[in-house]
Amino acid sequence: MQIGFIGLGLMGRPMALHLAKDGHTLHLWARRPASLEPFQAVDARLHDSPAEVAKHAEVVFTMVADAPDVEAVALGETGIAAGARAGLIVVDMSTINPNAARQIGASLAAKGIEFVDAPVSGGEVGAINAALTIMVGARPEVFEKVKPLFEKMGKSVTLIGDIGAGQVAKACNQILTGVGVAALAEAFNFAAKNGVDTARVREALLGGFAYSRILENHGQRMLDRNFKPGFKAWMHQKDLRIVMEEAHRLGLMLPAAAATAQLFNAIVGSGMGEDDSIAALKLLEKLSTPQ
Amino acid sequence: MKLGFIGLGGMGQPMAGHLLAAGHQVTVWSRRPDSADSLLALGARRAANPLELAACCEMVCTNVTGNADVAGLAAQLLEGLAPDGIHVDFSTIAPSVARAIAARYEARDRHFVDAPVSGGTAGAQAATLAIMWGGKAALAARLDPLFRCLGKTIVRVGDAGAGQVAKTCNQLVMVAAIEACAEAARFAQAAGIDFARVRAATLGGSAGSRVLEFFGGKMVARHFAAGVQARLHHKDFAMVIDEATRMAVPLPVASAVMQQLDALMAAAWGTQDTSTLLRVLERSGRHSLAD
């Protein structure tokens, strides 16, 4: 298949390489030429705009930072829509606002282009190991066409609903993981300030109802004081901003997510944005100690 | 009138002084005998213990710190007071505790009145306190002359405990406003804007308030020395959250403010003024002040 891929960062690069390994031809464009280097060994052609990529592709994947980036790449002057043939499928795997995804989908549909939102969970490790969780919003018949490609990048591929539904699921994922990491950091700080061995607390709780993958994995990394990302704190801040924007638009009360969003503001502002989101622990420790 | 007064701290001293100045016969008792010296010089008498004090007074005032202090004193005073005697408590305690004490007095034909005050030591000295009281309406005729010696705004809010409910509401509004003021100051500061000017500009508009004027002024001048010690607001807020939980009423802002007060205590700033909430915010986030 002729596949376009735009956004070859930490996540996008291994994802695109999995598709090349499966025998597909890649059509690439990148703002920074350096990000194209890993593709010299595979069947990949370079183009000088997203429009050119679209001209040669049946499906174009995007994996960029935020909604304005997706809009620019898809709908900009030399964007995908400017070069697309009728029936092209654009699959955005970035994490963006669900409502923005719906609007981009509608703009593309008006030009006869299919749109799929397919944000992922699993981080860089999941991308490298082709073990991502992929949450998809799409028309069912379009989903069936791209599903085999998703299966090369991820382990768990789920059609959630119509366009935007994938982003809704991702927002839910970020509420759960954000509040979960914050709760874990609070619990560990609580135990430590009580003079109790945090490792033992974790060990005991793993067997009970508080068990979670976050307690297991993030908990272990907190014990090791390994703050290397993982999932960077600034990205969680961004994702929680999306959640709160959407909540505000819908008039939804999300008190725990709101408090967690403020915590991530503090983490990023305190210079720990490039750390893993478990830096929440470092911040709480600091704020629980006399100056 | 023969009055007793227990609790001769920053508030109690000037209050008892006003009662003496109004020509009442005031008997005092204090745990630390020297705290009564200045009042004895003004003509007050000293009792050997609360029981003896109650036995020679028709009305006893208390102004102490917490639930346990008031409950302990009330148990002794109840034994000493003659039938129809009144115990007026100016302390800030839980409404439910005030109601329970009032019921015990009622059963023995004595009266307990909760009469918490607002206005701080400055208000106590100038006899301009706001006094919000709860108790039987029939007691108003006996209480009013006493309250008029101490405060300007005197309101019977309702039956036993109602004064404490009003005080709780007072603390909810005031401390949340102090936190809002601190957040505005932090926001302005992070944006590179002088909060002194922001305060000057906003005081005349819809955001104008006594808190913005008084506590905002302290934040501008960075005068964080007490004032009202933040640990007392911390105590009040713990009580508010406790009561709200008991009544199953959600107070999302109050619980967030409680967290900031907790962080203030953790920083060992409890004896500073509550405007120190600004310093709590300055410990994290962009452009945080170095520890």
Side-chain angles (χ1 to χ4, degrees), chain A residues 117 134-138 143 158-162 164-170:
Chain A
D117 57 302
I134 305 178
M135 301 152 253
V136 188
F143 174 69
T158 310
L159 177 64
I160 310 287
D162 288 336
Q167 297 295 354
V168 172
K170 179 66 192 277

Side-chain angles (χ1 to χ4, degrees), chain A residues 266 269-270 283 286-287 289-291, chain B residues 266-267 269 283-286 290-291:
Chain A
S270 300
L283 182 74
K286 178 190 158 187
L287 295 181
T289 311
Q291 197 155 1
Chain B
W269 289 333
R283 293 190 77 188
S284 70
R286 188 147 295 159
D291 278 3

Side-chain angles (χ1 to χ4, degrees), chain B residues 256-267:
Chain B
V257 172
M258 178 80 213
Q259 292 308 304
Q260 297 303 114
L261 289 167
D262 280 338
L264 185 154
M265 297 302 287

Side-chain angles (χ1 to χ4, degrees), chain A residues 95-112:
Chain A
T95 295
I96 67 169
N97 185 305
N99 200 44
R102 285 182 209 112
Q103 283 170 2
I104 293 167
S107 301
L108 290 173
K111 298 170 196 269

Side-chain angles (χ1 to χ4, degrees), chain A residues 38 49 53 66 75-76 84 96 100 111 142 162 192 194 220 222:
Chain A
S49 71
V53 169
D66 205 351
L75 300 163
I96 67 169
K111 298 170 196 269
V142 178
D162 288 336
N194 275 288
Q220 186 58 52
M222 284 183 185

